[in-house]
Amino acid sequence: MIAALLALALSASAPPAQSAQSAAPAHENQAVRLEDIQVSGRRLDDLIQSFVSEVAAPNRGRGIARWDRSVCVGAVNLRREAAQYLVDRVSTVAEDLGLNAGDPGCTPNLLIIATADGDAFAQELVERRRRALRMGGSGMDRGAAALRDFQETSRPVRWWQLSMPVDSETGQRAIRIPGECTNACSEPMDYAPTINVSSASRLTTQIVDNIFRAIIVVDVSKAGAVNSAQLADYIAMVSLAQIDPTADTSAYASILNVFNDPSSAPSLTEWDKAYLDGLYSAQRTRQNVRAGKSEIQSSIRRAHARLADEAPPTTD
């Protein structure tokens, strides 16, 4: 069984040819809800910047990656009804972000694997398929230390993603993958992709980073009091964005806290939804790799303003 799961987890193909400390909220030991923040200006900016810096985990030297156009969600090793619920909910969140969730029967490139022993499964996955998890291309994963953390750190849910720098205009790979070449494989250029630059600029770039594979390992023995809806939204958050598994989000009302406090969030919170909205509305064509974070911060700021406008007036 485990060999079959390992093969399925790594069947998705690639595309064609550290965090800052968070600012403490106003009320100690109380998570801040985005809709409850009554401050503006510098204090609000500090809270938003700290949340994004804590959560975002782009690959080293790369911009923040996201899925491009479509994603196919699959779930294995669960009862049919439970698997379908997870697939449907994660797919719905993906569609809300503008992605095509794939037709029934599509080959999953976002695979949720349930197991009674997440530690043993992760250990075997890395030992047997290390090359598939770290394909060797520059900027495709978070590195050896992060893979060790995935393999060795016991968590209710752990995840590993692969992303690819690609030409935003053609979808072509923008990096070389070891062992691949074109033509006669006799010239240096046969081993590297060729990108036709439409307009050279020091401020913008054609190269963007797209997630193309995600493996989510759910240890059912560690799920605790978390219900199916919370689990599905947690998986949606960590699979549709590059989320740091070591992030401390206790200062913010987020679905990412649900395993520490199941009563903290019944579903994706306003922080979470604004983060994902900012990620999937970002242009991503600015040369500065920090630009993606800035666009997410702007999205959260807009969400706060909207929530403030929608709030009923207070009476003294």
Side-chain angles (χ1 to χ4, degrees):
M1 169 64 80
I2 194 168
L5 292 178
L6 294 178
L8 183 59
L10 299 169
S11 62
S13 61
Q18 306 288 14
S19 66
Q21 282 198 319
S22 56
H27 301 288
E28 188 177 0
N29 299 326
Q30 183 176 347
V32 174
R33 300 198 316 163
L34 185 62
E35 56 269 40
D36 289 344
I37 298 176
Q38 300 297 323
V39 294
S40 59
R42 185 70 258 164
R43 178 61 176 159
L44 176 62
D45 288 345
D46 287 344
L47 285 168
I48 293 173
Q49 182 177 353
S50 295
F51 177 73
V52 173
S53 295
E54 187 69 40
V55 167
N59 297 343
R60 183 178 302 175
R62 301 301 313 168
I64 295 178
R66 70 187 186 205
W67 296 91
D68 182 51
R69 297 186 179 88
S70 65
V71 61
C72 177
V73 184
V76 295
N77 221 26
L78 287 165
R79 289 195 178 100
R80 184 171 184 174
E81 296 80 5
Q84 193 62 56
Y85 178 82
L86 292 181
V87 169
D88 289 346
R89 176 54 186 162
V90 176
S91 296
T92 295
V93 176
E95 289 174 340
D96 289 344
L97 296 170
L99 295 171
N100 182 332
D103 297 324
C106 60
T107 300
N109 52 6
L110 191 169
L111 184 64
I112 304 163
I113 304 173
T115 174
D117 190 343
D119 297 342
F121 182 86
Q123 185 75 27
E124 185 170 357
L125 176 63
V126 175
E127 288 177 354
R128 295 178 60 173
R129 299 296 180 92
R130 183 180 299 271
R131 178 61 188 273
L133 297 171
R134 298 206 66 207
M135 297 177 64
S138 176
M140 290 182 63
D141 59 69
R142 294 189 59 225
L147 186 61
R148 282 195 301 272
D149 180 77
F150 169 85
Q151 182 181 23
E152 299 172 1
T153 303
S154 185
R155 295 186 177 97
V157 179
R158 67 187 87 192
W159 55 93
W160 186 256
Q161 295 164 321
L162 289 172
S163 61
M164 181 72 70
V166 301
D167 184 336
S168 60
E169 297 186 0
T170 67
Q172 180 187 355
R173 295 177 186 174
I175 60 168
R176 172 183 174 269
I177 295 179
E180 291 192 353
C181 62
T182 58
N183 303 321
C185 300
S186 58
E187 301 293 332
M189 293 304 296
D190 293 343
Y191 291 87
T194 301
I195 303 296
N196 295 318
V197 179
S198 57
S199 59
S201 170
R202 292 188 299 174
L203 299 179
T204 61
T205 176
Q206 289 178 212
I207 308 304
V208 298
D209 294 88
N210 292 336
I211 301 171
F212 68 88
R213 180 188 298 160
I215 301 168
I216 315 297
V217 179
V218 179
D219 191 329
V220 295
S221 69
K222 295 181 172 64
V226 171
N227 62 39
S228 298
Q230 291 171 309
L231 176 61
D233 276 17
Y234 184 96
I235 292 173
M237 184 71 180
V238 303
S239 61
L240 297 176
Q242 293 175 306
I243 302 297
D244 188 347
T246 67
D248 178 5
T249 55
S250 58
Y252 308 90
S254 170
I255 195 66
L256 298 174
N257 300 321
V258 75
F259 287 105
N260 292 327
D261 181 7
S263 65
S264 63
S267 59
L268 290 169
T269 70
E270 295 295 343
W271 282 105
D272 304 325
K273 289 184 284 188
Y275 185 99
L276 291 173
D277 287 343
L279 172 63
Y280 280 86
S281 62
Q283 282 190 318
R284 301 193 301 160
T285 53
R286 292 162 63 183
Q287 284 279 13
N288 189 335
V289 295
R290 293 186 293 273
K293 289 185 180 181
S294 298
E295 292 184 83
I296 294 172
Q297 291 166 17
S298 296
S299 172
I300 298 176
R301 197 174 295 109
R302 290 192 298 271
H304 174 264
R306 172 181 55 79
L307 291 165
D309 289 341
E310 294 173 353
T314 57
T315 57
D316 296 330

